[in-house]
Amino acid sequence: MKYLIPGLTGLFFLMSTALVSAQPNRGGARAPVHKKTVPTVAPASAPAGLTVPSWLPADAPLQPAATILTDVVDTKLDVRFDYKKQHLLGTAMLTLRSHFYPQTEVALDAKGFDIQKVELMGEKKNKNLNYNYNRRKLVIALDHPYPRSTPYQVRIVYVAKPNELPQGGSAAITNDKGLYFINPLGLEKNKPRQIWTQGETESNSCWFPTIDKPNQRMTQEISMTVESQFKTLSNGLLTSSKANADGTRTDIWKQAEPHAPYLATMVVGEFAVVSESWHGKPIDYYVEPQYAGTARAVFGHTPEMLDFFSKKLGVEFPWEKYAQVAVRDYISGAMENTSASTFGSFVQASKRELLDANYQTSEFVVAHELFHQWFGDYVTCESWSNIPLNESFADYSEFLWAERKYGDDEAALVQELKLNNYLEEAVSKREPLIRYRYVNREDMLDRHSYDKGGRVLHMLRKYVGDDAFYASLNRYLTQNKLSAVEISKLREAFEATTGEDLGWFFDQWFLRRGHPELRVTHTYAGGQVALRVQQVQDTVFQPVYRLPVTVAVWTGSNQPTEHHLTITKADQTFQLPASQKPVLVKFDSEGQLLAQLDEERSQEELLFQFYHARGYLQKAEALNQLQNKTDQLPVSSMMRNALNDKFWNVRRLALEHLRGYRGPEPTGMRKDIVRLASNDPSPRVRVQALKTLSAFPDGSYGDIYGAAVVDSSILVSAAAIEILAKRPEVNSKQQVAAIENTRSSTLLVAIAKFYALNGRLDQYPWFLRRLPDVAETDLYAYFQAFGSLMANIPPVERDKGLKVLEDYARTYPRSEVRLGAYHGLALLLPSTPSLKVTLQNIREKETDDRLKALYNLM
């Protein structure tokens, strides 16, 4: 499944809580989530006396795996494109077989087609077949019952019209029309002409007829006729490329091993292709031509990842080739199409942009989609209820790659970020990982399936050990290769490998909702530590967990004594021997539990923990727990020590917590922050140092901010511009104007925010001129800045800008972009009351219920 990126869900949260402009945090990790009080409500339908938590979803319909009546054995497509109408002209040859029982008809998913011919292929002549078609299902009457021993071929001539389909989508996949024409007539000057597809969950049936379910499996051949200047890409290998007399070219791509229909892909466009090989297999990177020089920097770890994952799993990469392509206006983060992953254009980067790359961007998305080639493509979930069998593994691959390539601290930071992602979602939603009840199949594409699932796999690995973990995965992959499975197959693989019944683990983590909420306290008396662990979660709707965990007891500054415990009760006390009163008792010392943890420790224990920490998580926890005590000298000294830590996010975290510091200053602390702002090797640390300096009420740092405007890092430059927007220096406007022709979308948004506060009519043309260069993901913030600027210019000058915002608010495909344009218009209401009618009309005609809810809040 695709890689999740911030979208409408995050914007809904921001708008509903504050109705303020906000950009995604590009600076690094968030502070860990500690124990929260979850609000509860008592629905009218609840039995008397039972309080139902607000995170408990309403009842949803049962969603079993699709019943298989007919197997799609092979799909051959011959397609060409009408760019003006944005139609696909297709011929599909489907080889079909009755699954078990003889069938007299076959029902195919075919959405929004014009069906021109349906015929049964014969050895000597074809036979026209009768059919019923309601623009969603094509039900074909066969000429006689076909037993499972007799395959047959159906030929369908059709026209696919994706833009005429009803618009749908979700927070994870913002559109579901399957086939996308990007700048088809070449009228957008800064955008290439492209065609690409997006099949998951069941959208490939918008461009070819199939049985669009994950428990189908087919071989495939796609013949694409395109203009000669375009490159093509699909699953499998390019077996033929032929120039045609009319100046077009026909490419044929063949996928020899069977895969699920949703994994079929097709891409057309002007790309530079950078090629490598791995074990004799082609490894190709498709990027826009201007990024050819940096394609290897973005995708170049792929051969090393292939080595690492193949060796760890004991299953070599199973497909004939691996290609990765970056496309414009993509509707999600990335997608693991078999042997040909598609990425949004955010992965493309200039040399300067690559300076800011980190685990949150392209490299870890590359790992995520590559791991899917085993978990999702080679072995596929049989139903969307089982999508964590795809997504949990792909999510965990990011941790595995961080651990392999960058070490334990970087992996621990991934662990922290992912855990916080899930816990944030769990405030309002708690579902089993494997859930057979949901309203919409794309409800499954959430932080449970991704982030929680990855953390559950980490606990499973820690419990069984590395050797057993990878041996179990090898068994799972080899025994289930090229098939669709449910969660029991994974459990059976682990049980057969380890010899242990792991039903308890799979039941509580995969099949039950929620997570443990733990309160941990300890006392010392009589040579023993009494460690009390209380599970305080609502156990009516969540289980009492069985939790293997490690506890480290420090009685001095040397090595601790480790105790391996198993918690099985809601309230349990363990007696741990200790020769003297411990200086620190650290519960879950390996940081592997998926839990909300309220662990009682004194300030002295937390300070000891920081200075004797075993890795990033323990240091980060001490910094976070003591962030409100920086006015105390021992704590501020700890923060000062953290400013010199070897791991970048420890330095960044200390800087973040020093933003509000107003106490007595340890000698040299301010100098350290200035040094980090100017010279730290990590751009994210420099960004945070600038923000921390800007939070101090005293001191003059205009020279530092001015130097940062032209920093080698785009993130640092953008941060400096946003600081100067709120506290401009005499020459700030000139400094910003000097870089206003940048090609960086991130910088364009920062400059827009500067002009929103410090610009006037002179900057109005700049907003209009640079709009085409702003990335889709940045338009939300850009439009709000534009609205703020227009509020400061005469109303008579605004007509063109108002028209631009109105057009985007009404017609732009992505919901969050429409929301940003609407918000930009709303900012002008005080000075332009006539806009009230326009905004009301936009609200009335909006078809996305989520947007309507946000508009009502505004």
Side-chain angles (χ1 to χ4, degrees):
M1 176 68 68
K2 49 219 45 59
Y3 190 90
L4 290 180
I5 57 173
L8 191 60
T9 301
L11 291 175
F12 186 94
F13 176 77
L14 290 170
M15 294 288 290
S16 61
T17 54
L19 290 179
V20 295
S21 172
Q23 282 247 81
N25 178 9
R26 302 173 189 263
R30 289 171 287 185
V33 177
H34 297 288
K35 190 173 187 308
K36 297 179 180 178
T37 301
V38 180
T40 59
V41 295
S45 58
L50 178 62
T51 300
V52 178
S54 61
W55 44 254
L56 185 69
D59 287 342
L62 182 66
Q63 306 282 2
T67 299
I68 305 174
L69 299 176
T70 300
D71 294 314
V72 180
V73 178
D74 180 71
T75 298
K76 287 183 173 63
L77 302 176
D78 186 349
V79 303
R80 61 191 64 224
F81 307 98
D82 183 330
Y83 282 86
K84 185 175 181 179
K85 295 180 179 177
Q86 299 185 44
H87 292 173
L88 176 147
L89 314 178
T91 299
M93 182 88 71
L94 305 182
T95 302
L96 306 166
R97 178 187 286 117
S98 299
H99 182 72
F100 187 84
Y101 303 104
Q103 299 296 317
T104 59
E105 66 178 26
V106 58
L108 300 175
D109 298 295
K111 297 167 185 160
F113 295 175
D114 285 346
I115 304 294
Q116 298 177 343
K117 182 180 288 188
V118 177
E119 55 187 5
L120 183 71
M121 303 301 292
E123 291 184 8
K124 296 182 179 179
K125 63 179 295 186
N126 299 340
K127 179 186 296 185
N128 288 331
L129 295 175
N130 294 323
Y131 62 88
N132 288 313
Y133 182 51
N134 63 3
R135 301 194 64 78
R136 303 290 293 180
K137 288 280 186 182
L138 175 63
V139 181
I140 303 170
L142 302 174
D143 57 340
H144 61 80
Y146 280 81
R148 64 181 182 274
S149 59
T150 305
Y152 57 95
Q153 288 187 317
V154 172
R155 180 174 178 266
I156 303 167
V157 182
Y158 65 98
V159 178
K161 302 178 176 181
N163 288 351
E164 297 176 24
L165 290 167
Q167 293 299 297
S170 66
I173 311 169
T174 59
N175 197 288
D176 63 356
K177 66 182 182 180
L179 174 65
Y180 300 82
F181 289 79
I182 306 304
N183 193 19
L185 302 181
L187 300 178
E188 298 177 74
K189 65 174 185 176
N190 293 326
K191 185 177 290 185
R193 293 173 67 200
Q194 294 177 350
I195 297 171
W196 46 262
T197 63
Q198 168 56 43
E200 198 172 30
T201 47
E202 296 176 8
S203 297
N204 271 344
S205 50
C206 297
W207 61 277
F208 69 92
T210 189
I211 300 176
D212 207 351
K213 298 297 178 183
N215 57 0
Q216 289 285 334
R217 214 162 185 97
M218 65 186 193
T219 54
Q220 171 189 304
E221 181 178 289
I222 300 181
S223 171
M224 285 180 266
T225 298
V226 299
E227 296 174 39
S228 59
Q229 73 269 27
F230 290 146
K231 299 281 197 314
T232 67
L233 176 64
S234 186
N235 314 92
L237 296 175
L238 180 64
T239 60
S240 172
S241 184
K242 178 185 176 183
N244 302 317
D246 62 358
T248 63
R249 191 185 73 254
T250 299
D251 290 349
I252 300 177
W253 292 84
K254 187 170 184 177
Q255 168 79 29
E257 295 283 3
H259 69 155
Y262 78 88
L263 296 167
T265 187
M266 185 172 59
V267 181
V268 179
E270 293 185 73
F271 296 102
V273 182
V274 178
S275 298
E276 301 188 85
S277 66
W278 179 83
H279 293 195
K281 297 181 178 183
I283 306 297
D284 297 321
Y285 316 134
Y286 287 63
V287 294
E288 293 173 39
Q290 65 267 32
Y291 294 105
T294 56
R296 277 195 173 89
V298 173
F299 296 113
H301 288 298
T302 300
E304 187 180 354
M305 291 177 184
L306 284 164
D307 273 332
F308 172 59
F309 292 145
S310 294
K311 289 175 182 175
K312 280 292 185 184
L313 297 171
V315 176
E316 186 160 304
F317 176 75
W319 308 106
E320 302 136 301
K321 68 104 171 33
Y322 190 53
Q324 295 164 95
V325 59
V327 301
R328 285 294 186 98
D329 298 350
Y330 197 50
I331 56 171
S332 189
M335 178 64 201
E336 68 278 9
N337 309 302
T338 309
S339 80
S341 291
T342 303
F343 298 78
S345 59
F346 70 92
V347 299
Q348 298 179 131
S350 65
K351 289 182 179 179
R352 186 183 181 195
E353 288 167 334
L354 286 169
L355 296 173
D356 296 321
N358 76 336
Y359 56 88
Q360 290 175 309
T361 52
S362 59
E363 186 177 334
F364 279 65
V365 189
V366 169
H368 182 109
E369 303 309 326
L370 178 56
F371 212 57
H372 265 311
Q373 300 297 314
W374 286 271
F375 296 93
D377 297 6
Y378 195 51
V379 179
T380 307
C381 63
E382 72 166 17
S383 66
W384 303 119
S385 297
N386 284 272
I387 195 67
L389 289 173
N390 297 7
E391 291 307 333
S392 297
F393 280 102
D395 183 274
Y396 191 47
S397 73
E398 300 168 50
F399 178 95
L400 296 175
W401 179 246
E403 187 178 51
R404 158 70 174 77
K405 187 67 177 178
Y406 300 107
D408 291 341
D409 283 345
E410 202 74 62
L413 178 55
V414 172
Q415 175 85 342
E416 178 188 60
L417 286 166
K418 300 288 190 172
L419 175 60
N420 286 337
N421 284 344
Y422 160 69
L423 290 176
E424 183 177 86
E425 183 174 83
V427 172
S428 58
K429 171 184 179 180
R430 298 188 193 181
E431 291 272 26
L433 275 181
I434 306 299
R435 66 200 90 140
Y436 294 99
R437 291 184 179 275
Y438 54 79
V439 176
N440 185 303
R441 57 183 175 268
E442 292 188 9
D443 295 345
M444 294 296 301
L445 307 182
D446 59 9
R447 291 300 176 188
H448 285 61
S449 293
Y450 288 73
D451 302 272
K452 180 181 181 179
R455 311 293 65 73
V456 168
L457 291 175
H458 185 61
M459 289 188 293
L460 183 57
R461 174 187 169 197
K462 298 296 288 187
Y463 179 73
V464 302
D466 275 17
D467 289 347
F469 182 75
Y470 290 110
S472 299
L473 297 188
N474 176 272
R475 183 186 293 266
Y476 170 77
L477 291 170
T478 54
Q479 290 189 347
N480 299 292
K481 64 181 181 180
L482 302 176
S483 69
V485 300
E486 62 177 359
I487 187 64
S488 62
K489 295 295 185 181
L490 184 65
R491 176 179 57 79
E492 289 166 5
F494 272 86
E495 290 182 342
T497 300
T498 63
E500 180 180 349
D501 187 332
L502 292 168
W504 64 271
F505 185 96
F506 280 78
D507 177 68
Q508 71 182 21
W509 289 116
F510 285 97
L511 301 176
R512 305 283 296 276
R513 61 169 45 89
H515 55 269
E517 300 173 40
L518 306 178
R519 172 155 178 76
V520 181
T521 57
H522 66 270
T523 56
Y524 178 77
Q528 287 190 319
V529 174
L531 180 76
R532 186 182 182 188
V533 183
Q534 297 168 279
Q535 298 194 40
V536 298
Q537 70 271 11
D538 182 336
T539 55
V540 174
F541 299 98
Q542 301 171 107
V544 173
Y545 286 84
R546 176 178 172 181
L547 301 172
V549 68
T550 300
V551 178
V553 178
W554 295 77
T555 55
S557 59
N558 296 320
Q559 294 299 312
T561 300
E562 291 190 338
H563 302 271
H564 301 287
L565 312 175
T566 300
I567 301 159
T568 58
K569 300 176 182 178
D571 191 343
Q572 202 164 359
T573 300
F574 300 88
Q575 301 295 330
L576 310 177
S579 58
Q580 61 188 63
K581 184 178 181 179
V583 290
L584 174 65
V585 176
K586 183 69 191 83
F587 181 81
D588 188 22
S589 59
E590 296 178 336
Q592 58 96 13
L593 282 184
L594 190 161
Q596 287 175 279
L597 184 58
D598 180 7
E599 184 179 4
E600 184 181 84
R601 277 154 299 166
S602 66
Q603 178 172 309
E604 290 71 24
E605 286 178 295
L606 288 166
L607 289 167
F608 182 92
Q609 177 176 316
F610 175 84
Y611 289 112
H612 297 84
R614 290 183 162 186
Y616 165 74
L617 287 178
Q618 290 191 15
K619 286 185 179 180
E621 184 183 39
L623 291 169
N624 290 324
Q625 291 280 350
L626 295 173
Q627 63 177 292
N628 295 322
K629 297 182 178 181
T630 55
D631 58 337
Q632 298 182 26
L633 187 59
V635 176
S636 60
S637 295
M638 176 194 70
M639 294 288 179
R640 167 90 189 280
N641 184 288
L643 296 179
N644 297 290
D645 195 87
K646 63 182 177 63
F647 185 49
W648 69 270
N649 202 53
V650 172
R651 302 194 300 275
R652 191 204 63 78
L653 199 56
L655 286 164
E656 181 181 300
H657 294 329
L658 287 170
R659 289 191 70 178
Y661 179 71
R662 300 293 182 265
E665 185 176 325
T667 304
M669 179 189 285
R670 194 76 66 99
K671 289 182 179 179
D672 277 347
I673 298 173
V674 170
R675 171 179 56 82
L676 294 174
S678 303
N679 301 316
D680 194 275
S682 167
R684 282 154 190 79
V685 174
R686 299 203 297 279
V687 166
Q688 188 60 60
L690 290 171
K691 292 179 178 179
T692 299
L693 288 177
S694 73
F696 291 140
D698 60 323
S700 177
Y701 304 106
D703 291 345
I704 294 173
Y705 303 144
V709 168
V710 292
D711 192 275
S712 59
S713 161
I714 287 172
L715 293 182
V716 173
S717 180
I721 292 168
E722 291 192 31
I723 290 169
L724 290 171
K726 297 176 181 177
R727 48 169 66 186
E729 301 283 330
V730 173
N731 60 343
S732 294
K733 205 165 186 178
Q734 290 78 12
Q735 290 174 323
V736 172
I739 63 168
E740 68 175 15
N741 291 322
T742 178
R743 294 178 61 185
S744 165
S745 182
T746 300
L747 279 181
L748 288 175
V749 170
I751 294 169
K753 290 180 177 180
F754 181 91
Y755 287 151
L757 295 177
N758 302 280
R760 291 293 183 270
L761 185 58
D762 288 349
Q763 281 69 50
Y764 177 69
W766 178 88
F767 273 89
L768 293 169
R769 176 170 58 87
R770 298 314 310 270
L771 174 59
D773 302 310
V774 179
E776 270 192 329
T777 51
D778 290 325
L779 284 173
Y780 178 81
Y782 190 83
F783 283 147
Q784 290 178 77
F786 191 21
S788 297
L789 176 99
M790 284 196 286
N792 295 321
I793 67 175
V796 70
E797 303 287 350
R798 301 174 184 170
D799 287 352
K800 190 171 182 179
L802 291 174
K803 181 66 166 58
V804 167
L805 289 179
E806 182 179 347
D807 286 347
Y808 273 82
R810 290 186 184 279
T811 65
Y812 203 83
R814 292 186 71 113
S815 301
E816 63 268 33
V817 175
R818 299 202 300 277
L819 174 64
Y822 181 95
H823 197 184
L825 286 171
L827 292 172
L828 296 167
L829 264 177
S831 58
T832 315
S834 60
L835 279 175
K836 185 175 183 180
V837 175
T838 301
L839 291 170
Q840 181 177 346
N841 186 260
I842 292 172
R843 288 197 304 272
E844 290 172 352
K845 293 187 176 181
E846 176 57 56
T847 59
D848 188 318
D849 289 338
R850 297 166 298 169
L851 275 193
K852 285 185 175 181
L854 292 179
Y855 293 160
N856 289 333
L857 287 172
M858 295 171 65

